[in-house]
Amino acid sequence: PYIYTRLIIMGKGAGRGGGARREEWPKDVKGSAFSVLSLDSDPKPPHSSSRAPPSAPRPAASSGSSSTSATSCGSDIKRLQFKQGKERQELITKYLDRSNKVCLLFLFDATSSMGPKIEFVKEQFQSMFDAVKETYGQVLIKAGVVAYRDFDQGENHTDVLDFTGNPAKLRDFLSSVKAVGGGDVAEDVFTGLEKAATLSWMKSCTNLICHVADAPCHGSAFHDLSARCDDRMSGDPKNRDIKKLLSTLFHTCRVTKYFFSHLNNSTVKMVKEFRKAAPEADWLKDDHVQNNQVLKEFICNSIISTVTVSLSTSGCARSDAKRPVSKNYPIDPKEPDWSSLSVLYGTNCEHEMLVLSALHGALADHRPLPIGKDFRMQLKIAPRPFSNEGVSRYPFYATWLDAPSGRDKSGQLVKQERKMVLKEFKYDQGYVAWVGKIDFTDVSAYLLQGEVQTVASVLAREFNQDIRCLRCPSAKEIRFPKVWVVSVRHPSGVKYYNMEQLLQAPGGATLDFVRFTNNNGAIGKEGLAHPYSDSVLAFSHYTYEKSNRCLMVTDLQGCWCQSPAGKKQFTLSDPMIHSDKYLLRSPGNFGKKGAAAFFKTHKCNDVCRALGLNPASNYVAPSDGGQGPGPSGASSSRLSSVISDKSC
């Protein structure tokens, strides 16, 4: 029998009738550790770390004696485990429910030239929303409209529809909007932005603006038009500041993304100035729309990408706190002139690759995966990231000047330069309700990222071994590159990064990076169209069954390329893991809710069948007390409805 001892540590000044009491419970027979802090008020959110499980909920005050029997202590631990899991799932469910609710504002220039575009949106908005639901089946969209004109139409020259989920109401309103006026070329865009801030934005939802216009705002600072085209060249007659207008939309209205559709080149300078004034560099996205079909795709992709951001690591970490602002690095897609950069010094380490049984043991005991020795290194880092497409981290070109490259005949270590990518989190701080406060500048955030990818890499190795004996042409191998955690001494202080080898196509060709899935069941159209996507989609299904329904690797993106050994394979990176047992400090870990969302959209393919995986239609959404979706013998149609009823 297992005998447990409850240790009560009385804080300073504690005694009968007061003080803080800390109750610490040893690991139970399954290796789950809990540390309970009992205070008169709620504790502060726990600090983010990949090396400890999240704090258990505070227990109710005890009126009896502190019994140390195995029976009572064991039942208390089980109760705490259940309560922790239940509360965590409730918080995740609430967050997913909010993220899948979308408030979309159509912000239109409604002067004479815009009539055909408004009519097109009126006729096509329902098919746009249906296209979004093909990717995110759980999305619920409310739409609003702000149609602005110019001062020649009088003081009240806007039409406004607050957010509605009634398609008929939206269609009738768009039919009532008259495209009139616009004596000069420039229009009163500022009033449109001002009116947009008055709508009933839901701060806990995914909010976005789709701005469609063919003319800039007033003021020579926003366009290169002649004075004949703008009768207010000095700027807005009400002296409104674009920085304040955009800040209100970002901070007060909690607009997640602002998308601008250029119908011609007259708005390019205006959007450039808007981006300078925006609270975040990547908050405002723009594109040139050549025709109506491209406009439709632009609006659909805007909604899908915004929901994807909300469900990402950074999106989760920004949801429940005062909205943090990203670091706003300027982007430079070109490799730097390495000869002009100084050498930096630091250290690196990596997680060890384990056999499957050892991996299970480490995760079950909530132990961090073993890490190898720290090695000194010399490197050069590009001063600016080369992309802003990642939702959570900035990527930087880097050169590892003394990378190990085997040994020579005499046994001496050979070193050479190697091109790498360093990844830095876009935000310094975050807060997630089911995790707590997260410090993205701390090494623990980067260790956790490396740990997640190492787990995915171990399971990919198992997947590759299992498909090699299959007679299935569509079964292709999958690889996750090695991830180092790097500490670099900059003149301003020490900074941490994750480091991976730079992927390069032979002969200087361009690699085609594809997002196959996200962490809430969505399957990307590009990923679905890939000729070998069956392997990637089957891999998530495989990880769930290989781990005995304890975890699932999702959020898969990467490219089909040639490995260093010359073998064609998928190289994927930055995955997420769903589990109610392991890696609970990961913000994008939605546990059984994430697994249920995957099975709601997943359709088993030839690779799934060749591996003998349970059909996706046999998986049902779990109850609150269950460990996750599990096989069932019920009919697939009935099971689909069960998943739909239980999903967020």
Side-chain angles (χ1 to χ4, degrees), residues 110-112 148-158 178-183 187:
T111 52
S112 300
Y148 62 87
R149 299 176 182 84
D150 204 1
F151 295 104
D152 65 331
Q153 296 299 304
E155 183 63 27
N156 185 16
H157 51 264
T158 58
K178 305 299 181 184
V180 295
E187 313 296 358

Side-chain angles (χ1 to χ4, degrees), residues 490-502:
H490 288 271
S492 58
V494 175
K495 291 179 69 173
Y496 298 103
Y497 303 89
N498 287 121
M499 181 175 73
E500 299 176 12
Q501 187 164 352
L502 177 66

Side-chain angles (χ1 to χ4, degrees), residues 168-188:
K169 187 175 181 180
L170 176 59
R171 187 175 292 106
D172 290 344
F173 180 83
L174 290 171
S175 297
S176 70
V177 174
K178 305 299 181 184
V180 295
D184 59 355
V185 174
E187 313 296 358
D188 183 19

Side-chain angles (χ1 to χ4, degrees), residues 402-509:
D402 55 351
S405 182
R407 296 185 180 274
D408 59 19
K409 294 181 179 179
S410 63
Q412 295 295 316
L413 184 65
V414 177
K415 297 182 179 181
Q416 65 178 25
E417 289 189 9
R418 189 187 300 178
K419 290 188 176 181
M420 311 297 290
V421 174
L422 297 187
K423 297 180 180 180
E424 178 186 355
F425 282 105
K426 290 185 174 182
Y427 303 90
D428 288 340
Q429 303 288 333
Y431 177 79
V432 179
W434 59 92
V435 174
K437 184 179 178 182
I438 302 173
D439 183 359
F440 286 117
T441 65
D442 189 75
V443 66
S444 61
Y446 293 90
L447 285 169
L448 178 58
Q449 197 74 23
E451 200 164 1
V452 167
Q453 190 146 319
T454 301
V455 172
S457 187
V458 171
L459 289 165
R461 183 182 61 193
E462 297 292 320
F463 177 81
N464 295 339
Q465 290 175 355
D466 285 346
I467 66 171
R468 283 170 192 155
C469 58
L470 301 179
R471 293 183 177 179
C472 181
S474 56
K476 305 297 179 182
E477 293 192 6
I478 288 172
R479 168 182 171 266
F480 290 88
K482 183 185 296 185
V483 176
W484 289 266
V485 177
V486 178
S487 170
V488 180
R489 296 193 300 273
H490 288 271
S492 58
V494 175
K495 291 179 69 173
Y496 298 103
Y497 303 89
N498 287 121
M499 181 175 73
E500 299 176 12
Q501 187 164 352
L502 177 66
L503 291 178
Q504 293 178 298

Side-chain angles (χ1 to χ4, degrees), residues 174-235:
L174 290 171
S175 297
S176 70
V177 174
K178 305 299 181 184
V180 295
D184 59 355
V185 174
E187 313 296 358
D188 183 19
V189 179
F190 281 22
T191 293
L193 295 173
E194 194 173 58
K195 290 290 185 181
T198 65
L199 270 63
S200 55
W201 295 96
M202 298 179 68
K203 296 181 181 180
S204 58
C205 290
T206 297
N207 298 322
L208 70 151
I209 295 173
C210 280
H211 189 170
V212 184
D214 64 356
C217 59
H218 290 288
S220 58
F222 298 98
H223 59 71
D224 294 321
L225 303 174
S226 65
R228 187 177 60 180
C229 299
D230 184 359
D231 52 18
R232 291 173 174 81
M233 289 288 282
S234 60

Side-chain angles (χ1 to χ4, degrees), residues 25 40 77 96 137 149 184 248 285 341 346 511 514 560 575 586 633:
W25 299 84
D40 293 334
I77 290 175
L96 293 177
R149 299 176 182 84
D184 59 355
T248 299
K285 302 278 189 179
L341 299 179
L511 289 174
V514 177
W560 172 250
S586 177

Side-chain angles (χ1 to χ4, degrees), residues 335-349:
E335 279 197 57
D337 176 10
W338 295 110
S339 63
S340 66
L341 299 179
S342 301
V343 176
L344 299 172
Y345 298 89
T347 60
N348 70 76
C349 64

